[in-house]
Amino acid sequence: MTKGLLNRAAMAATLAAWTLAGAPAVAASAPAADRPVSVRYVFDWPVADFAIVPIAVGQAKGFYRAHGLDVRVILPPDAQTTARMLASGEGDIGFEGATDVVFAANIALPITSIASYSQHNSWCLIGRPGEPINAADLAGRTIGTFTDSWTGAMMRFVLQHAAARAGSVRQIITQVDNIPLLLAGRIDLATNVAAYGVAAALEQTGRMPELACGDAIGVPDIPVWSFTASPAWLARHGDTARAWLAATNEAIGWSVEHPAEAAVIFTRAFPESGSAAFNIAGWRYLSHAMSGTGGYLAQTERQWTILSRALRATGQISTLPPASTYFTNAYIPG
């Protein structure tokens, strides 16, 4: 995906860096009663995008302040640093792909998921406007993909669903964005979380792209991203984690109910993220994936079992521990 989830080699390098630096000494917060507790929120990408909308809303609308928190967004230097920053104490709560959480457990990097960011798998095959996608017949098609682990896991499901051999589908790896290649006719289909493809296509053509998602392409409906933290930080700052998730839950709810206003708030806070129109289109689409049967933030053993088994089947992880290894629901508001 454009979001740039880690691959296994990058995660191993992260563990090596953390090991050399040593495990962090996490100091307990003891702020004055009238002073908010600082929380460093580390994004997964060096450039802000509309996935930060709820956090920006939480800041601007006072949701965090009401829970006694002062949240600062940190953009990492690259897409391979968030886990290391949390493990080494350079950040408190992170935003990471669910696959990265599984990779971390596979190499004993101390990171755990404390909540799901969204509730549905909005990763899709994306086609040019007006050209419907036949997901059952992909043989001979050229598909723009990325090197991230989420794309690798989802493409396995797609090819199984289409009964296509990997070699019969030409996968063109792109590093930044595959929508321009799609719209220029250089590839037949693109892959990404749909919101990014929708926003890009609307901005460039004024038309909705064709989408094939979920059951139509054989991918499981599991969350793409997680909020994460290190067990060491959680052990000392459990109340802060609970307060942060409670405030974030409220901010997500407000952002879903007011998508255009929420996206404008984000754009003002992060003007380098693109136009307000781009962010409104992207967040409006992404907002539909935020709530599930358990409301916001919920995570289950089922989602982690499906994901870890898919990564194991494709050789991306070497072990398959219990699903409970990857997450905790201890800090999600009741």
Side-chain angles (χ1 to χ4, degrees):
M1 296 182 297
T2 303
K3 293 292 300 176
L5 303 180
L6 298 182
N7 57 36
R8 183 172 53 182
M11 185 64 81
T14 294
L15 175 64
W18 178 81
T19 302
L20 288 173
V26 183
S29 295
D34 59 346
R35 191 173 70 189
V37 175
S38 175
V39 175
R40 298 165 297 173
Y41 176 74
V42 186
F43 198 47
D44 70 334
W45 196 243
V47 179
D49 67 49
F50 50 75
I52 298 179
V53 163
I55 311 304
V57 165
Q59 293 170 315
K61 289 293 184 180
F63 291 111
Y64 291 119
R65 186 79 184 193
H67 285 268
L69 305 176
D70 177 25
V71 177
R72 178 165 62 97
V73 175
I74 298 176
L75 301 177
D78 54 54
Q80 302 174 356
T81 309
T82 300
R84 179 180 63 79
M85 291 179 69
L86 298 183
S88 63
E90 298 174 77
D92 302 319
I93 293 174
F95 175 86
E96 301 183 72
T99 43
D100 296 342
V101 177
V102 176
F103 282 152
N106 190 60
I107 59 172
L109 186 68
I111 295 297
T112 191
S113 172
I114 59 173
S116 291
Y117 170 80
S118 60
Q119 293 297 301
H120 299 286
N121 185 0
S122 54
W123 184 94
C124 303
L125 295 180
I126 304 171
R128 284 179 286 275
E131 298 182 14
I133 300 169
N134 181 2
D137 183 16
L138 297 178
R141 308 298 296 277
T142 300
I143 302 178
T145 64
F146 299 95
T147 58
D148 67 276
S149 53
W150 188 269
T151 296
M154 294 304 107
M155 280 301 298
R156 171 178 174 268
F157 290 112
V158 169
L159 295 176
Q160 283 184 339
H161 178 76
R165 292 177 294 102
S168 69
V169 175
R170 187 183 179 201
Q171 298 187 49
I172 303 297
I173 296 174
T174 54
Q175 299 299 324
V176 180
D177 191 2
N178 51 28
I179 300 301
L181 295 178
L182 175 71
L183 297 178
R186 296 175 60 185
I187 57 177
D188 297 316
L189 297 169
T191 60
N192 210 329
V193 168
Y196 295 98
V198 167
L202 286 175
E203 184 173 62
Q204 295 176 45
T205 71
R207 301 174 63 193
M208 277 287 293
E210 295 289 335
L211 299 173
C213 314
D215 290 342
I217 57 175
V219 301
D221 189 17
I222 55 177
V224 180
W225 296 292
S226 287
F227 292 126
T228 58
S230 74
W233 184 84
L234 290 169
R236 302 294 296 275
H237 302 281
D239 288 344
T240 299
R242 291 184 184 91
W244 189 88
L245 285 176
T248 301
N249 186 66
E250 295 168 6
I252 291 173
W254 192 95
S255 300
V256 169
E257 292 175 3
H258 308 86
E261 186 177 350
V264 169
I265 289 172
F266 161 73
T267 305
R268 289 172 179 165
F270 297 91
E272 72 282 2
S273 65
S275 68
F278 177 88
N279 290 324
I280 289 171
W283 172 250
R284 192 185 298 276
Y285 197 92
L286 182 58
S287 68
H288 296 300
M290 301 301 290
S291 180
T293 56
Y296 303 126
L297 306 178
Q299 52 184 349
T300 66
E301 286 198 9
R302 175 184 174 276
Q303 74 190 62
W304 292 105
T305 297
I306 291 173
L307 179 58
S308 58
R309 286 179 178 174
L311 294 176
R312 181 69 180 89
T314 54
Q316 297 186 69
I317 59 174
S318 58
T319 61
L320 198 62
S324 57
T325 302
Y326 307 120
F327 76 103
T328 175
N329 284 329
Y331 307 97
I332 295 178

